Amino acid sequence: MRGYLGRGSVFRTLANISAMTPRPVSEPRPDEFGRPSAHAPGSATVAVIGDGQLARMMHTAAIELGQSLRLLAGSPDASAAQVCADVVLGDYKDLADLRRAAEGCDALTFDHEHVPNEHLNILIANGIAVEPRPSALIYAQDKLLMRQRLKELGVPVPVFAEITSTEDASAFWAKTEGQVCLKTRRGGYDGHGVWFPESEEEFCQLVSELTAKDAPLMAERKVALDRELSAMVARRQSGEVRGWPVVESVQRDGICAEAIAPAPGLDEKLEAQAREIALKVAEGLGVTGVLAVELFEAAGEISVNELAMRPHNTGHWTQDGCITSQFEQHLRAVLDQPLGATDATAAVTVMANVLGAAEDPDMPMSERVAHVHQRFPQAKVHLYGKTHRPGRKIGHVNLCGEDVAETRHNAQLAAGFLVHARWADQDADQAS
Amino acid sequence: MRGYLGRGSVFRTLANISAMTPRPVSEPRPDEFGRPSAHAPGSATVAVIGDGQLARMMHTAAIELGQSLRLLAGSPDASAAQVCADVVLGDYKDLADLRRAAEGCDALTFDHEHVPNEHLNILIANGIAVEPRPSALIYAQDKLLMRQRLKELGVPVPVFAEITSTEDASAFWAKTEGQVCLKTRRGGYDGHGVWFPESEEEFCQLVSELTAKDAPLMAERKVALDRELSAMVARRQSGEVRGWPVVESVQRDGICAEAIAPAPGLDEKLEAQAREIALKVAEGLGVTGVLAVELFEAAGEISVNELAMRPHNTGHWTQDGCITSQFEQHLRAVLDQPLGATDATAAVTVMANVLGAAEDPDMPMSERVAHVHQRFPQAKVHLYGKTHRPGRKIGHVNLCGEDVAETRHNAQLAAGFLVHARWADQDADQAS
């Protein structure tokens, strides 16, 4: 029995085929080392700024679409650079490097949000199709601007305020009765740049220290959340938008540990609202490519936590549990090509992250993978080619199944073995 | 409703985890152009001899497994070379080039059968894990040896004979009452190297001409076949074997045009027999990696037509319709790692090849893809980055569905549009 499949949905479609005419195709040219960087004749080349696992996984999607990527990478052994033919070495904060990467490409996109918008505006002025555009990206870069804009759009966000002084801090403490989450406006991720002060004194002390370091700050009411959700959509310039089933995102220590698709037991009205929010954000902010809207669910209500305008950790399950993966969809969207179906292909898909342990076990990773494959032949292991660091995202496991509890249990066991080289359900001395 | 899923099957599993200990991992080194060819730390590197679409699609599987490939490619713009970081340029018939590609790799495998076995035996003597081994490959290279060996194993093959003279030809003509298929023993593919003489004179004439060119020949009884099937399995050195559901393979002009998974209406006993044959061939010939056994179905009986010891066109459907694709499975098998589940994930999956038309339409391929994606958001388009040539395999479309006829119809329409830039079900002047 197939059960509930958590159908994807088409929010907008295009009647007019002429809107799909692709951009002209780029010419080959030699790479850094004089190797002729051949791309498929007649197909598009997307430049990706960034060399992490998101770029790496975009490349697998590009290959199957008959395309290939050009990377702007910081080093030749970075996650994505290991597996791409056309790699430009450089700094994503350097305009000349960005220009080299963009030259002759059909679209330019990102695996992170840290490229200076002033550079991107220059590239756009020079005719480069930067997707998503700085006019949208600014809301994924600045948490305060994002909340201000979402509030204008009528999208629910927790009570928030800009914090520039200890006076602001005290006022916000009083307003929220001490339920405070302090955030840097820019650059935070995976729990970095987020604090939960337990007293007004601690809050003011933090604000003093951070403002002294010129860190722009904001605060929002700490939500007593039941769980976190993620609503993802893709939008292309011509206007088509498609959404994936809403997933539950399980965080540990501020880092995504699991995603469960579709979100188990999610109220239909809340699911519809989550989808509607993602659509409204994508259209209201003019996002192109994939958009992840991270949501809080609390007491039967949802509000927006964060936005990401790129493939997102909570969308990795789509590689094995969905007709069109977020990586393929992102490429299609940034090239303004028609989007793919987003129906789930299994009753439940669980994604469990592989996060570097405090100490890396002696067993080589390839042997850990062998153990996982031996025990779970149905597990799909995705590794990023990264060296170990405690807490670092080095891979994930996708597992499809019929039953949420069983599928979660097995996905956790599999990811746990890749981290610790032992099975969480066996005594250490029984582990093989 | 999920319907019949055509479950994959485990033929052999391993109780002993120690058999899975992977081989040691290779060190990075610079490529042809001085670019440091970084591979993922702690993961395996597989060298692939060949630069076609099979190598290209192995690379997408390698990336997700945290591995990467080293290619021995004939040119930097070949299908797989476009998308791989570590490319050795050279000739697969040259031992020195093979050595350069093999150096430091954990296993060496192929996207074609044309590497001289004497070179491979030298590599093996030098400690390289060549998979599959020449002792198996010889049966995928020589159609006569294959049939002789299969007959010994008790595997059904059509009546055959070695043909070295017109006397042999006349004798075989008489024996088969003129039902003759003449084949070159080596090097034929996609209908090349196969003839169906319509008279004894024509047969003898062909044999005279071909033997004069030193082409080793064999003949077999022409089978009045109902259809062709393909039974695929993967086997690793430690002995584990897993098979995929048996598919129907639709040929046009001697070239695979479609694969339908699972084979519609296949008799249960025949399916079991097809699986049993694939297992027997894999074990009997000591195949490692993926094995495709192409079968004739005629009057309720099956017999072996050809073998391929690598991922195969009739297995491309596994990319989108199966838990483990043939490309991932091949890499796992040649590294002697535990194999993945081979259950189908859809009731039916149809693969339709994109074969270059007599004349290439003016519409750029990326625009054709856009039209296909617009009409069939559920279609998975795979392109190989190849230039047009009439009849050349330049891509394929996978489509999953519930109903065989509808799914075939749509897959044919999609592949047809990629070939002809028009819809077969619309008048030319209605096509958009």
Side-chain angles (χ1 to χ4, degrees):
Chain A
M1 292 296 296
R2 203 163 198 179
Y4 171 64
L5 284 188
R7 311 296 277 186
S9 66
V10 184
F11 289 128
R12 297 282 184 272
T13 52
L14 291 177
N16 187 358
I17 200 88
S18 70
M20 321 182 317
T21 309
R23 302 194 179 91
V25 160
S26 52
E27 289 295 309
R29 46 154 227 184
D31 81 353
E32 299 283 303
F33 301 96
R35 170 175 166 179
S37 62
H39 291 268
S43 282
T45 301
V46 174
V48 178
I49 309 305
D51 56 22
Q53 63 265 29
L54 301 180
R56 183 182 173 108
M57 293 186 278
M58 282 183 218
H59 187 51
T60 68
I63 293 171
E64 294 304 324
L65 288 169
Q67 307 173 4
S68 41
L69 300 185
R70 180 181 304 148
L71 287 188
L72 179 62
S75 79
D77 64 353
S79 176
Q82 291 167 14
V83 297
C84 280
D86 189 0
V87 176
V88 174
L89 293 178
D91 181 351
Y92 59 80
K93 295 187 290 294
D94 184 288
L95 179 60
D97 289 347
L98 291 166
R99 278 190 203 276
R100 284 192 302 136
E103 190 192 332
C105 280
D106 303 286
L108 181 144
T109 191
F110 313 94
D111 92 335
H112 59 69
E113 293 89 4
H114 309 310
V115 182
N117 287 342
E118 58 270 28
H119 293 347
L120 297 180
N121 284 323
I122 293 169
L123 295 180
I124 291 169
N126 283 281
I128 308 294
V130 174
E131 312 284 350
R133 305 186 182 178
S135 52
L137 273 173
I138 183 67
Y139 301 107
Q141 293 163 334
D142 187 314
K143 297 182 198 301
L144 180 64
L145 294 186
M146 181 269 274
R147 283 160 179 78
Q148 288 168 339
R149 183 78 184 105
L150 261 47
K151 201 175 167 188
E152 284 171 17
L153 289 170
V155 171
V157 289
V159 169
F160 68 92
E162 184 175 9
I163 304 289
T164 59
S165 65
T166 53
E167 289 73 30
D168 289 347
S170 291
F172 195 75
W173 186 268
K175 184 175 182 182
T176 59
E177 295 172 316
Q179 297 303 305
V180 169
C181 172
L182 176 68
K183 295 182 173 182
T184 53
R185 285 173 57 180
R186 289 176 162 268
Y189 68 98
D190 286 352
H192 297 277
V194 178
W195 298 266
F196 297 96
E198 296 194 348
S199 68
E200 188 176 344
E201 292 65 42
E202 188 189 340
F203 185 21
C204 289
Q205 179 67 24
L206 270 168
V207 168
S208 294
E209 288 169 16
L210 290 162
T211 50
K213 290 183 201 158
D214 289 329
L217 300 172
M218 58 147 293
E220 66 184 355
R221 183 197 293 275
K222 189 165 69 183
V223 176
L225 57 101
D226 299 319
R227 61 173 170 176
E228 296 191 40
L229 303 171
S230 174
M232 295 187 64
V233 295
R235 179 177 175 274
R236 51 188 282 229
Q237 200 58 48
S238 306
E240 186 188 14
V241 185
R242 280 182 187 261
W244 283 275
V246 176
V247 307
E248 177 175 341
S249 158
V250 181
Q251 312 280 317
R252 287 189 201 103
D253 304 324
I255 302 178
C256 175
E258 277 178 75
I260 309 162
L266 180 60
D267 178 83
E268 261 183 47
K269 265 163 52 184
L270 278 191
E271 199 207 7
Q273 196 196 345
R275 287 171 173 279
E276 192 55 41
I277 286 172
L279 168 64
K280 200 183 254 190
V281 173
E283 297 197 326
L285 272 46
V287 180
T288 44
V290 165
L291 167 73
V293 180
E294 295 183 82
L295 299 156
F296 292 134
E297 181 181 355
E301 298 198 343
I302 55 176
S303 57
V304 173
N305 177 25
E306 299 298 348
L307 303 182
M309 295 180 193
R310 50 167 170 73
H312 190 256
N313 202 163
T314 59
H316 290 354
W317 70 276
T318 58
Q319 292 177 303
D320 299 297
C322 201
I323 292 177
T324 305
S325 82
Q326 63 169 347
F327 301 103
E328 178 182 344
Q329 199 79 302
H330 188 71
L331 293 174
R332 288 162 69 162
V334 302
L335 288 164
D336 201 14
Q337 295 253 348
L339 302 179
T342 50
D343 308 67
T345 54
V348 56
T349 305
V350 175
M351 186 286 311
N353 268 341
V354 181
L355 302 167
E359 273 189 64
D360 202 33
D362 288 334
M363 186 190 288
M365 182 55 86
S366 53
E367 195 172 335
R368 294 180 226 169
V369 172
H371 280 265
V372 167
H373 279 155
Q374 176 78 10
R375 180 164 176 187
F376 299 111
Q378 76 278 31
K380 304 320 294 175
V381 172
H382 301 263
L383 294 175
Y384 311 151
K386 290 186 161 182
T387 49
H388 173 267
R389 273 208 312 261
R392 189 183 207 191
K393 290 177 181 171
I394 55 176
H396 65 274
V397 177
N398 285 335
L399 206 59
C400 298
E402 303 287 318
D403 177 77
V404 173
E406 184 191 342
T407 310
R408 277 192 78 180
H409 181 68
N410 290 341
Q412 287 168 0
L413 284 173
F417 195 94
L418 295 177
V419 173
H420 300 293
R422 53 184 163 75
W423 297 112
D425 61 346
Q426 292 178 9
D427 290 338
D429 56 270
Q430 281 187 305
S432 60
Chain B
M1 294 296 295
R2 201 163 200 181
Y4 172 64
L5 284 188
R7 309 298 276 187
S9 66
V10 184
F11 289 129
R12 296 282 184 275
T13 52
L14 291 178
N16 186 357
I17 199 89
S18 70
M20 322 182 316
T21 308
R23 304 194 178 91
V25 160
S26 52
E27 288 296 308
R29 48 154 226 182
D31 79 354
E32 298 283 304
F33 301 97
R35 169 175 166 180
S37 62
H39 291 268
S43 283
T45 300
V46 174
V48 178
I49 309 306
D51 55 22
Q53 64 265 29
L54 301 180
R56 182 181 173 107
M57 293 186 277
M58 282 183 218
H59 187 50
T60 69
I63 292 171
E64 294 304 323
L65 288 170
Q67 306 173 5
S68 41
L69 300 184
R70 180 181 305 147
L71 287 188
L72 179 63
S75 79
D77 63 354
S79 176
Q82 290 167 14
V83 297
C84 279
D86 189 0
V87 177
V88 174
L89 293 179
D91 181 352
Y92 59 81
K93 296 187 291 291
D94 184 288
L95 179 60
D97 289 347
L98 291 166
R99 278 190 203 275
R100 284 194 299 136
E103 189 193 333
C105 280
D106 303 285
L108 181 143
T109 191
F110 312 95
D111 92 335
H112 59 69
E113 293 90 1
H114 310 309
V115 182
N117 286 344
E118 58 270 28
H119 293 348
L120 297 179
N121 284 323
I122 293 169
L123 295 180
I124 291 169
N126 284 281
I128 307 295
V130 173
E131 311 284 351
R133 302 184 186 182
S135 52
L137 273 173
I138 182 68
Y139 300 108
Q141 293 163 335
D142 188 312
K143 295 181 198 301
L144 179 65
L145 294 186
M146 181 269 275
R147 282 160 179 78
Q148 288 168 340
R149 183 78 184 105
L150 261 47
K151 201 175 167 187
E152 285 172 17
L153 290 170
V155 170
V157 289
V159 169
F160 68 91
E162 182 175 10
I163 304 288
T164 59
S165 65
T166 52
E167 289 72 29
D168 289 347
S170 290
F172 195 75
W173 185 268
K175 183 176 184 182
T176 59
E177 296 172 314
Q179 298 301 304
V180 169
C181 173
L182 176 69
K183 295 182 173 184
T184 53
R185 285 173 58 181
R186 288 176 163 267
Y189 68 98
D190 286 353
H192 297 278
V194 178
W195 298 266
F196 297 97
E198 296 194 347
S199 68
E200 188 176 344
E201 292 65 41
E202 187 189 341
F203 185 23
C204 290
Q205 179 66 26
L206 270 168
V207 168
S208 294
E209 288 170 13
L210 290 162
T211 50
K213 291 183 202 159
D214 288 329
L217 299 172
M218 57 147 293
E220 67 183 354
R221 183 197 292 275
K222 189 164 71 183
V223 176
L225 57 101
D226 298 320
R227 61 172 171 177
E228 295 192 40
L229 303 171
S230 174
M232 295 187 64
V233 295
R235 179 177 175 274
R236 51 188 283 229
Q237 200 58 48
S238 305
E240 187 188 13
V241 184
R242 280 183 187 258
W244 284 275
V246 176
V247 308
E248 177 175 341
S249 158
V250 181
Q251 312 279 318
R252 288 189 200 104
D253 303 324
I255 302 178
C256 174
E258 278 177 75
I260 310 163
L266 180 60
D267 178 82
E268 259 181 50
K269 266 163 49 186
L270 278 191
E271 198 206 7
Q273 196 195 346
R275 288 170 173 279
E276 193 53 43
I277 286 173
L279 168 65
K280 199 181 254 190
V281 173
E283 297 197 327
L285 273 45
V287 180
T288 44
V290 165
L291 167 73
V293 180
E294 296 183 82
L295 298 157
F296 292 135
E297 180 181 354
E301 298 198 344
I302 54 177
S303 57
V304 172
N305 176 25
E306 300 297 348
L307 303 182
M309 295 178 193
R310 49 167 171 72
H312 189 256
N313 202 162
T314 58
H316 289 354
W317 71 276
T318 59
Q319 292 177 302
D320 299 296
C322 201
I323 292 177
T324 305
S325 83
Q326 63 169 346
F327 301 103
E328 178 181 345
Q329 199 80 303
H330 188 70
L331 292 174
R332 289 162 69 163
V334 302
L335 288 164
D336 201 14
Q337 295 254 349
L339 302 179
T342 50
D343 308 67
T345 54
V348 56
T349 304
V350 175
M351 186 285 311
N353 268 340
V354 181
L355 302 167
E359 273 188 64
D360 203 33
D362 289 334
M363 186 190 289
M365 182 54 86
S366 54
E367 194 172 336
R368 294 179 226 170
V369 172
H371 280 265
V372 167
H373 279 155
Q374 176 78 8
R375 180 163 176 186
F376 298 112
Q378 76 278 31
K380 304 320 294 175
V381 172
H382 301 263
L383 294 175
Y384 310 151
K386 290 185 160 183
T387 49
H388 172 268
R389 272 209 311 261
R392 189 184 207 191
K393 290 177 181 172
I394 55 177
H396 65 275
V397 177
N398 285 335
L399 206 59
C400 297
E402 302 288 318
D403 177 78
V404 173
E406 183 191 344
T407 310
R408 277 191 79 179
H409 181 67
N410 291 341
Q412 287 168 0
L413 283 173
F417 195 95
L418 295 177
V419 173
H420 301 293
R422 55 186 161 72
W423 296 113
D425 61 347
Q426 291 177 10
D427 291 338
D429 56 88
Q430 282 186 305
S432 58

